[in-house]
Amino acid sequence: MKLLIINVLLELALLNNLVSCTIVKQTTVTEAKSDYLVYKMRNKGDVANIKTTEGGYEDINFFCYDGVEPHIFKFWSSAYLHLDMERQDYQVYIGPNVTAVNSLYQQSESSWWYTQLPWRSTQFKIDPFQDTCIGVKTAQSYSIELNIKNVNYIMVVLTVGAILVFFWAPKLCRNHLIHYTTGIGFGILLSLLILTYLVQQRLRAKWISWIGIFYSLSAYFMTVTWYNFKEYLTAQYFHWVVGYVVGAGLLSAGFIYRFGTISDPRTMDIIQWVIQFVSLVTIVLSSYYQVASLSLALAIFLWASIPGTIKSRVRTQFKKTIFRPKVKLLTEEQYQAQRNEETRKALEELRNYCRSPDSKPWLTVTKLASPTRFAEFVEGSPHITEREVIDYSHWDSMETDDEDRSDVTDDDGPETSANRSLDSQSDNLIS
């Protein structure tokens, strides 16, 4: 059974990543009374191959994607354009249409101060539900491919994880292991910023001074490292990465151990609210279908805002209404049989407990009026005597006769009652 489930999951993953490549050619698109040559990327696997320009001069090509209609079953859909190029000698412009992309290109050509970020990316994430155009300016040959995932498992993990973290926030913010893990993570990822802050506090430097340059440089180096992280995981730099992670982690753990974890209740509440706020933002950003993701986040927030007593009442009422248990009435014979059986079991349990050392039998005997009868009961004798049975039967028969007499009295009419009262009065007068 497990092998069958694994095979089914593998087949679904292969179908999700299955791509049928289609070569896309340029088509003419008219926007704002201008004609543009555009590569239309519509389906998964569409590829556009661009050759080297004659003369080796730089040229720009436009690639456009037409968004699809949003649907709840495409909640975790994603799309991106993959650029395959040998060197990173290119410029990229992204906009909602060709006119916007061309305007960015013209600004970069006419303005001497227009520059782009120093790092380059070969994957450009796009919204599968919106129209997007990309312009690539370069002199070398390259290819660009459209990839669409009907279910992006990273987005699924983000959504489910954010929901779990939101409801677990009251416990997570008070867990010491989470405090250490979070502190070590911040120490490893934000070490330059933390070091700059410590230097600022030591030298008592103001924000509007040379320390601002150090903050900017720290943020710059962190961003460059993040975008080139894959290169640092090679065999050439791997030992440096491991050494940095171990060193920064140990220093962060020692710092937290020295100053202790957070213990103030109000600070805990603030951390809880921050965690829940970040979780809601993650839920909203975990899907390109913003209307559905925002509705989900609002529903979770409203549900968490309802007091627990009201939710308990609603849950109880729902169970009583929908999952009402079936009640089966017992007959007189079934009731008698069940009563006798349960009484026998209870007496047997009591007898076994009295025989055990936990019951302290000697202490119990000193408190009883009839220790002999208690000993006989423990050894297996009935819990009531024959005399008690006879007395109970006699009392029960008397109660039954009284009930019968009251029934007869109730059945008499008002005239009979009046005659009896008159007879009693006459008897009193005669006497």
Side-chain angles (χ1 to χ4, degrees):
M1 187 62 181
K2 294 182 178 179
L3 294 176
L4 180 61
I5 296 174
I6 294 174
N7 292 331
V8 171
L9 293 176
L10 290 175
E11 290 178 1
L12 291 174
L14 291 174
L15 289 175
N16 188 42
N17 297 324
L18 186 61
V19 178
S20 57
C21 297
T22 304
I23 305 300
V24 180
K25 297 183 179 181
Q26 283 183 323
T27 58
T28 303
V29 175
T30 303
E31 287 186 7
K33 299 181 180 180
S34 300
D35 295 335
Y36 302 95
L37 292 176
V38 178
Y39 291 91
K40 281 287 186 180
M41 318 288 285
R42 294 185 176 88
N43 302 315
K44 181 179 180 180
D46 289 352
V47 180
N49 297 317
I50 310 300
K51 298 181 180 180
T52 307
T53 58
E54 298 180 359
Y57 62 90
E58 293 183 343
D59 190 17
I60 186 171
N61 292 280
F62 302 102
F63 309 90
C64 291
Y65 167 76
D66 295 332
V68 298
E69 190 70 20
H71 197 276
I72 191 63
F73 292 107
K74 297 180 180 179
F75 184 84
W76 290 297
S77 297
S78 64
Y80 66 93
L81 290 169
H82 178 70
L83 182 63
D84 187 8
M85 188 180 298
E86 294 182 358
R87 297 178 297 174
Q88 293 187 352
D89 185 15
Y90 62 90
Q91 299 287 339
V92 176
Y93 310 92
I94 303 176
N97 49 50
V98 185
T99 304
V101 174
N102 187 64
S103 177
L104 293 175
Y105 168 68
Q106 295 297 333
Q107 291 179 12
S108 66
E109 292 294 316
S110 60
S111 178
W112 60 272
W113 53 268
Y114 186 91
T115 58
Q116 292 189 347
L117 297 175
W119 51 83
R120 295 289 184 271
S121 177
T122 58
Q123 288 188 0
F124 308 100
K125 298 179 181 179
I126 59 178
D127 191 338
F129 309 119
Q130 293 183 0
D131 298 341
T132 307
C133 289
I134 294 179
V136 180
K137 175 189 172 184
T138 185
Q140 55 182 319
S141 60
Y142 62 92
S143 64
I144 189 167
E145 181 182 357
L146 174 63
N147 290 276
I148 299 176
K149 293 183 178 181
N150 296 323
V151 178
N152 191 328
Y153 296 106
I154 296 179
M155 300 171 71
V156 176
V157 172
L158 286 176
T159 304
V160 177
I163 294 174
L164 295 178
V165 170
F166 179 87
F167 289 106
W168 290 347
K171 296 182 179 179
L172 293 178
C173 68
R174 291 167 175 81
N175 192 317
H176 293 290
L177 179 61
I178 299 299
H179 291 176
Y180 274 92
T181 305
T182 306
I184 293 173
F186 276 110
I188 294 173
L189 298 177
L190 307 177
S191 58
L192 291 177
L193 290 178
I194 295 174
L195 182 62
T196 306
Y197 176 76
L198 294 177
V199 172
Q200 178 190 5
Q201 295 296 318
R202 183 65 177 177
L203 301 179
R204 298 181 180 180
K206 297 182 180 180
W207 287 92
I208 306 176
S209 61
W210 57 269
I211 199 66
I213 300 176
F214 279 84
Y215 276 112
S216 302
L217 291 175
S218 300
Y220 171 77
F221 283 121
M222 288 169 54
T223 308
V224 172
T225 304
W226 174 259
Y227 276 90
N228 298 281
F229 185 70
K230 293 182 179 179
E231 298 180 4
Y232 296 131
L233 293 180
T234 57
Q236 183 179 359
Y237 303 102
F238 185 75
H239 60 284
W240 292 103
V241 174
V242 173
Y244 166 75
V245 170
V246 173
L250 291 177
L251 287 176
S252 302
F255 183 84
I256 297 173
Y257 179 77
R258 169 63 181 81
F259 293 95
T261 58
I262 299 173
S263 58
D264 185 68
R266 295 186 177 181
T267 306
M268 295 284 189
D269 294 336
I270 294 175
I271 295 175
Q272 173 186 337
W273 298 334
V274 171
I275 292 175
Q276 291 178 334
F277 176 76
V278 173
S279 301
L280 292 177
V281 173
T282 304
I283 293 173
V284 174
L285 299 179
S286 64
S287 174
Y288 287 103
Y289 193 4
Q290 294 292 298
V291 176
S293 61
L294 181 60
S295 301
L296 177 60
L298 288 176
I300 293 174
F301 176 75
L302 292 176
W303 174 259
S305 302
I306 300 174
T309 55
I310 297 178
K311 289 189 285 189
S312 299
R313 293 176 184 176
V314 173
R315 190 182 300 111
T316 303
Q317 190 64 30
F318 177 78
K319 290 182 178 179
K320 289 182 178 179
T321 305
I322 305 300
F323 304 100
R324 179 179 296 177
K326 296 182 179 179
V327 179
K328 182 181 179 182
L329 300 179
L330 300 177
T331 61
E332 184 72 21
E333 293 78 7
Q334 292 175 341
Y335 169 74
Q336 295 290 344
Q338 185 173 355
R339 182 192 64 180
N340 297 334
E341 180 65 21
E342 295 298 327
T343 303
R344 185 190 63 79
K345 290 181 179 179
L347 291 174
E348 189 64 29
E349 292 178 0
L350 178 61
R351 187 176 285 110
N352 293 332
Y353 174 75
C354 294
R355 291 173 180 172
S356 64
D358 298 334
S359 64
K360 299 179 180 180
W362 293 109
L363 181 62
T364 304
V365 167
T366 58
K367 297 180 180 180
L368 295 177
S370 179
T372 305
R373 183 175 174 183
F374 173 74
E376 293 176 354
F377 167 75
V378 172
E379 293 300 326
S381 299
H383 64 290
I384 55 177
T385 62
E386 296 182 359
R387 180 62 183 175
E388 290 174 342
V389 173
I390 295 172
D391 292 342
Y392 175 77
S393 301
H394 178 68
W395 175 82
D396 189 31
S397 61
M398 291 178 62
E399 287 291 329
T400 305
D401 294 339
D402 292 339
E403 291 178 359
D404 294 338
R405 292 174 183 175
S406 62
D407 293 338
V408 172
T409 304
D410 294 336
D411 292 338
D412 294 337
E415 297 180 355
T416 307
S417 300
N419 293 331
R420 288 181 178 175
S421 62
L422 290 173
D423 293 340
S424 61
Q425 293 177 4
S426 62
D427 293 338
N428 292 330
L429 290 172
I430 294 171
S431 61

